[in-house]
Structures are given as C-alpha cells and as structure tokens.
Amino acid sequence: MLISISFDLHSSPFDLIEQLSRRAPEITGALERPEVSDGVVVLSTCNRFEVYLEAPSPEAASHGAPGAVDLVADIAGIPRGVAAAAAEIRHDRRAAEHLFAVASGLESAVVGEGEIAGQVRRAHDAARDRGSLTHELERLFQSATRTSREVGHRTGLRNAGRSLVRLSLRLAESRIPDWSRARVLLIGTGAYAGATVSALRGRGARLISVHSPSGRAEAYAESHALEPVGQRGLRAALTGSDLVVACSRAEEPLLTAPDLAAETRHRRLLIDLGMPRNIDPAVDELPGIDLLDLETVARHAGVAELGPEAEALEIVRRAAEEFAADQAEREAVPALLSLRDHVLGILEEEICRAHRGSGREGEVNEEVAAAMRRLTGKLLHTPMTRIRTLGREGRASEAGAAIEALFGLDPAPRSEIPAVAASPELGPVVDGERVPLVLDDLDRGFKDTLEHL
C-alpha cells in the first residue's frame, strides 16, 4: 500500500516545515529502515515537506502512517501531537492524486508555478540513487511526471501561474525604482538561482553579482555572465547592494544581523527564498533593511484563473483513476500467472512430444509447434484479458477463485511474483537445453498481455 504524509503551508506553520526540511537527511534514513517501509521518497521544497512510502505489509499500512509521523516528529524535535495535527495522510489513489496535483503546480503557494515539477523529479532521482525505490513508487513518480507534462502541454496553467521567484520580485517593485541601475547580489547557485537571474534580467537588471557558500561562484558567474563574489568580498557586496536574493540549500542561516549591521546611506531589500531560511529573521529589525521571506511571499500568492486550473484538476483526476485501476489490475497478476504457467506447461509437453515424434534428433517440427503456439495464444487471450479486467474492477479475488475452481490452481502470493513477470523466451527443455518459445510466435493479444505485466 502506498502512503503519503504531507506537511505544507496550508496546514503547517512555516517554522515546522523549516524544521522538517533541516532534518530531511536524518528523516529519510530513518524511514528507509525495512521495518518502517519497503521504499521511500522524500520531497522537501520551499513550502512543503512530504513523504511517500510503500508499507511492507497490509498490517504495517494500517498502523504505519501514524508511526511514521511520530518517527518524523521525534527526529525533527517536534512534539508528536503538533506533527500529527499538521500532517495530512493519504493512501493509494488519494496519495497518487495528491502527488500528481503537486507535480502539476496545483498545490503550490503560487498555483501553476513551474519549479515544483523539477523538484519532484529530483526527489525521485535521489531516491533511485539511494536504492530506496520500489516498483510501485517508481510507477507513481513516473506517472506524476507524465501528468505534470500533460497539464503543461494541454492547459494554460503554467503561463497563468507565477513562480515564487517572480512573485517576490513583483513585491519588490515598489522598493526598486530603476532595475537597470539596481545592484543585485545573488547568494546561491542552485535551481532557484537560474530562475532568479532570468527573472531579474526580464525586469532589466544588469548589475548582478553572485556569491556561493560552497565555492561555486566563479564557475556559475562565468556560465551566466555575472560578477563573482568571493568570501573576502562578501561584506562589501552586502553593504553596496540594493537587493540581496538568497536561495541556497544551506542548513543554517548564511546572513545574520552582524553581517548586515554596517551603516549605509540607502535602504537594502533582502529576499530569502531558502528552505531552511538563509537569512536570520532578526535582520528585519536593523535600520535600513527590509526582509521578504518565503512565508511573506506565500501570503501574497494569487489564485490561478479558474479555466486552466479546472482543466488541470480534471487531468490529474483522470490520471489518478488510471493509476489506481492499473494498481488494482496488478492484484490479479497471481491468477493470471498461474493460468499462464499452467497452459504453457501443457504446451511445453506437447512441443516435446512433437519433437520426439519428428524422427529427427535435435529438431522440432516447426510447423506443428507454430500451430500449437498460435492455438495457445488464441485460447489464452480472452481469459487473460478478462482476468485483467476483473483486476481493474477491484475483483481480483474473483479471478483467483475462478482459476482455483476450474483448474485447481493456487495463485502465488504477490511476494513470490518475479519483478519481471514475462520472459522474452519460454519453451521446452530438450536434452538439457531450452528450445526458445519466442513471444512473436504467439497471438498478438496474448503477447501484449504479457508485455503489459
């Protein structure tokens, strides 16, 4: 069973999401333990912290979500009651529909913002690199990416929506009278940095410098035609800037009150797009400094136009229905494989008999074998298609009962099903060697059924 646990700015205080984000590596490691989950993906962004996991058993699924919330709370140093009240728990189809909506920008503080799709993909890639993906989680996140692309291609939501970067700069307009003369310092070289540079130049900003806490300023500045700022020049750059935009993934604040206490004759605007915070909130009390952080920016986020949002929601709903139906269909795989293996076993015996009757050692009467394969494929196509249909309707148990009643077969538990159910070659063993039974020799419908698995 798939489970999602979500904390976002709609239901959780900014400080709580920040604390979860700060402890994301430790939380991820704890949730990856076998007794907690079979697999896990953690999505941590500027306005949400979400966990997607697959429970190791139905019993674990019924008790696992509250236990996982407690585990997350303990590691993050948050009272369990506070975390439980803020967490939104979803299962299977609801979890899938929520992720699809998130990846499409429908759950963002700025509806339709484009950055979230990349953040979902990076969370997916990170889980794959750690080896913490299950087959179901892989399918879930691949489906989320496809749904996000469909929303982007078929609706105007992305164009109607604005990114947090662009919204924060729009809020800054009243403090920046002339963008072409504004001295801007960018702190950070990640995904948000590129969006920030693009948005600044779109407003006419030309005097942009960049500082990287991790030492990548030189390379980033060269690739983006910016002015690099090293550690020694940071204080002077902070003092001389009209606008500072911080968007690093640093775990602790990069700028504190002592860093910005120098007297200047002009006001400075600081925009903090970091999660956790890049700038200590206390700097907002310093004279001559205004601070916009993610919490403030999110409060000013507008609502996307009804038309594209409604169309996007319908795309997400249909994608979630298809994912749930496909997930249910897979519950019928044990019955389908039992029938397939039973019939192919009979086919194997008959091909062996044809081989022995050919009178030519080492050869199989290919004309007879081909006819038997075609007949087998045609006979199997309808019942296997019907089994898949029953699965999609949530009636997999009926398919299993029918197979057991008609053939005396006991469908294998899901845990015993191989990761790849269909082999490219099936066939009889003759003189200790397998004679290939190529799927192309079977009825096309039967082959499609096997490949679907």
Side-chain angles (χ1 to χ4, degrees):
M1 175 179 284
L2 295 173
I3 301 172
S4 72
I5 303 170
S6 303
F7 303 86
D8 61 42
L9 286 180
H10 298 301
S11 61
S12 306
F14 184 85
D15 290 345
L16 186 148
I17 296 177
E18 181 181 31
Q19 186 66 13
L20 292 170
S21 178
R22 199 183 301 277
R23 301 301 300 275
E26 295 90 337
I27 291 172
T28 302
L31 292 173
E32 287 176 343
R33 296 202 300 261
E35 64 271 21
V36 179
S37 72
D38 284 339
V40 62
V41 180
V42 173
L43 174 64
S44 179
T45 76
C46 57
N47 58 14
R48 68 182 57 256
F49 184 91
E50 299 191 338
V51 171
Y52 294 85
L53 57 86
E54 184 172 0
S57 67
E59 295 77 17
S62 61
H63 301 94
V69 172
D70 288 345
L71 181 60
V72 168
D74 292 345
I75 293 175
I78 299 169
R80 289 186 173 185
V82 172
E88 179 74 27
I89 299 172
R90 301 174 178 87
H91 298 88
D92 288 332
R93 176 187 163 171
R94 290 188 64 236
E97 187 167 357
H98 174 70
L99 177 60
F100 297 170
V102 167
S104 301
L106 288 166
E107 297 292 334
S108 298
V110 180
V111 177
E113 59 109 350
E115 288 92 348
I116 185 63
Q119 292 167 331
V120 170
R121 287 195 299 271
R122 287 190 289 275
H124 180 196
D125 292 341
R128 184 188 294 115
D129 292 342
R130 292 193 309 271
S132 64
L133 279 180
T134 63
H135 181 63
E136 286 297 293
L137 286 171
E138 178 71 33
R139 288 181 53 245
L140 175 68
F141 276 80
Q142 286 183 355
S143 298
T145 296
R146 286 195 300 271
T147 303
S148 173
R149 288 173 180 164
E150 184 177 1
V151 168
H153 291 157
R154 291 183 50 188
T155 76
L157 188 66
R158 296 279 168 81
N159 294 329
R162 298 158 303 198
S163 72
L164 286 173
V165 171
R166 294 183 182 278
L167 180 56
S168 66
L169 294 182
R170 200 179 85 166
L171 293 174
E173 284 179 344
S174 62
R175 300 172 177 86
I176 307 293
D178 185 353
W179 284 97
S180 66
R181 300 177 61 184
R183 292 162 296 178
V184 182
L185 173 62
L186 176 66
I187 299 180
T189 55
Y192 265 21
T196 301
V197 172
S198 176
L200 285 168
R201 285 181 169 153
R203 292 178 177 275
R206 296 178 298 160
L207 307 177
I208 308 172
S209 57
V210 60
H211 170 73
S212 171
S214 57
R216 292 194 290 265
E218 290 280 352
Y220 192 86
E222 182 176 357
S223 63
H224 290 75
L226 306 176
E227 182 70 25
V229 175
Q231 189 62 42
R232 291 184 178 180
L234 179 59
R235 183 174 291 275
L238 289 170
T239 302
S241 296
D242 301 298
L243 172 65
V244 177
V245 181
C247 52
S248 171
R249 287 290 296 175
E251 296 298 319
E252 299 295 334
L254 299 172
L255 301 180
T256 61
D259 299 319
L260 296 157
E263 298 243 351
T264 63
R265 296 184 179 181
H266 65 280
R267 296 192 67 84
R268 287 173 290 174
L269 173 63
L270 278 59
I271 298 177
D272 186 357
L273 299 177
M275 175 58 77
R277 288 180 174 92
N278 287 175
I279 304 174
D280 188 338
V283 306
D284 197 28
E285 300 178 5
L286 294 174
I289 287 182
D290 297 314
L291 174 64
L292 284 176
D293 61 14
L294 279 172
E295 187 174 20
T296 304
V297 174
R299 283 202 301 267
H300 290 82
V303 178
E305 298 174 2
L306 180 60
E309 184 177 352
E311 185 180 2
L313 284 168
E314 179 62 21
I315 292 172
V316 165
R317 183 189 63 78
R318 288 199 304 267
E321 285 182 351
E322 178 59 27
F323 181 85
D326 192 48
Q327 190 177 35
E329 180 181 332
R330 289 170 184 271
E331 294 300 321
V333 168
L336 194 152
L337 292 184
S338 294
L339 176 62
R340 185 202 69 175
D341 291 347
H342 175 69
V343 175
L344 290 184
I346 296 173
L347 174 62
E348 181 175 315
E349 292 177 0
E350 293 305 316
I351 290 180
C352 286
R353 184 176 290 111
H355 163 76
R356 291 193 295 270
S358 68
R360 291 171 293 180
E361 186 175 354
E363 294 185 11
V364 176
N365 187 323
E366 288 302 326
E367 185 176 347
V368 173
M372 294 170 65
R373 291 166 184 162
R374 286 194 296 271
L375 176 62
T376 300
K378 292 180 181 296
L379 289 174
L380 276 175
H381 174 65
T382 297
M384 292 183 74
T385 300
R386 183 57 183 156
I387 289 172
R388 289 174 54 188
T389 301
L390 288 172
R392 292 179 73 82
E393 296 172 354
R395 300 164 61 191
S397 60
E398 295 180 30
I403 293 298
E404 185 175 3
L406 291 173
F407 299 97
L409 303 175
D410 183 15
R414 284 291 299 272
S415 60
E416 297 179 13
I417 297 173
V420 180
S423 171
E425 293 185 346
L426 301 166
V429 176
V430 178
D431 296 333
E433 296 184 3
R434 182 170 296 279
V435 177
L437 174 62
V438 182
L439 294 181
D440 282 331
D441 296 331
L442 299 178
D443 172 75
R444 167 57 58 180
F446 179 35
K447 181 185 177 187
D448 291 343
T449 298
L450 291 178
E451 290 180 343
H452 179 79
L453 297 173

